[in-house]
Amino acid sequence: MSKKTLVVTYLPSGERSHTKKLVDAFLAAVKGKAPVEQLDLLKDLPDVFTAEILGAYATRNYMGKPLTPEQTKAIAKMDRMTAQLKAADVVVVAFPMHNFGLPAVVKGWFDSVMLKGETWDINDKGYVGLSKGKKALILNSSGGNYEGTHAGWEHAVSLAKLEFQFMGYEIIETVAAGGMNAKPQEAPEVIAQAAEKIKALVANWYA
Ligand SMILES: Cc1cc2nc3c(=O)[nH]c(=O)nc-3n(C[C@H](O)[C@H](O)[C@H](O)COP(=O)(O)O)c2cc1C
């Protein structure tokens, strides 16, 4: 099976980013094993549903009607990001937690690629994911830890996972480095352990 890989990043902390260390571990491990394309969401900001884009989406994807040239243009970036995701067998999405959830830019990317008739659809049995036989890896870091009593506060990784499930991804893994701010003295060790997990996962997925 082809293992064409798309790595989607949102790393606004730049070189200081904790999350970037996880991305670097993935890229180093996968080097030479598969073709890798990168989408830097800071350089290529996803669109969000304006009235115009939502109108084009509803017209084409729900009503099955043709678009005007203006509508085609309005939804073009979402279409491009969706086609890029659909062309990949493995997708890696890397982002920090912001305010307990997915950073807005990453949510914008999910909204851009979760197009009905492209990555999911509705049939007589209900909702159906169209991304069969594909794998997703979520890389995340956060200031706190969200296990145990605070599990219900975590809406970043959990939402990304749900979006991939809805699109039909069959294997969804997460490597998260928690406690980056709560226990900064332990951060290097937590990141090192996460990097080891990523290495093992790549060895398994790209064997
Ligand atoms: C705007 C902003 C909001 C944040 N909100 C949270 C939060 O709700 N919960 C949390 O645990 N950490 C939060 N953090 C901390 C980051 O998730 C943490 O420092 C993470 O490791 C940053 O990743 P980075 O170094 O890749 O940017 C926030 C950081 C920023 C900049």
Side-chain angles (χ1 to χ4, degrees):
M1 180 198 142
S2 158
K3 292 180 180 124
K4 200 169 169 217
T5 300
L6 173 65
V7 179
V8 182
T9 56
Y10 172 67
L11 305 170
S13 305
E15 289 305 312
R16 288 178 20 249
S17 165
H18 294 123
T19 319
K20 182 177 184 294
K21 296 191 174 78
L22 308 189
V23 176
D24 290 345
F26 178 84
L27 291 175
V30 84
K31 200 166 180 216
K33 293 197 161 79
V36 176
E37 185 178 358
Q38 294 191 53
L39 172 61
D40 179 344
L41 294 177
L42 285 172
K43 292 191 180 137
D44 195 0
L45 275 178
D47 279 339
V48 294
F49 279 120
T50 59
E52 195 186 13
I53 298 176
L54 189 61
Y57 178 45
T59 301
R60 185 188 64 187
N61 298 54
Y62 282 82
M63 295 184 264
K65 290 188 187 156
L67 298 183
T68 64
E70 291 76 26
Q71 285 175 315
T72 302
K73 201 171 155 204
I75 202 167
K77 192 186 258 194
M78 287 193 175
D79 284 343
R80 167 165 62 79
M81 289 187 176
T82 302
Q84 183 184 41
L85 174 65
K86 285 177 70 176
D89 305 294
V90 179
V91 59
V92 181
V93 181
F95 53 86
M97 173 188 274
H98 280 175
N99 300 319
F100 305 105
L102 274 181
V105 168
V106 181
K107 185 60 168 63
W109 179 78
F110 275 109
D111 287 351
S112 295
V113 299
M114 294 184 67
L115 299 188
K116 178 182 178 295
E118 297 291 338
T119 49
W120 65 274
D121 215 338
I122 305 167
N123 66 17
D124 49 358
K125 291 196 188 79
Y127 293 108
V128 51
L130 300 179
S131 312
K132 298 285 175 212
K134 299 195 176 199
K135 296 186 174 85
L137 172 61
I138 300 162
L139 302 179
N140 173 254
S141 77
S142 56
N145 271 305
Y146 295 89
E147 283 131 26
T149 48
H150 289 145
W153 294 15
E154 206 291 322
H155 301 281
V157 167
S158 56
L159 181 54
K161 220 185 250 177
L162 180 60
E163 311 274 41
F164 281 125
Q165 275 168 6
F166 190 71
M167 288 191 280
Y169 281 77
E170 284 170 357
I171 296 174
I172 306 162
E173 294 286 348
T174 301
V175 179
M180 295 294 102
N181 301 353
K183 293 187 178 172
Q185 69 285 2
E186 291 175 18
E189 180 55 26
V190 171
I191 288 171
Q193 282 175 12
E196 282 308 311
K197 276 190 202 158
I198 291 165
K199 235 169 116 177
L201 189 134
V202 168
N204 181 10
W205 280 12
Y206 294 85

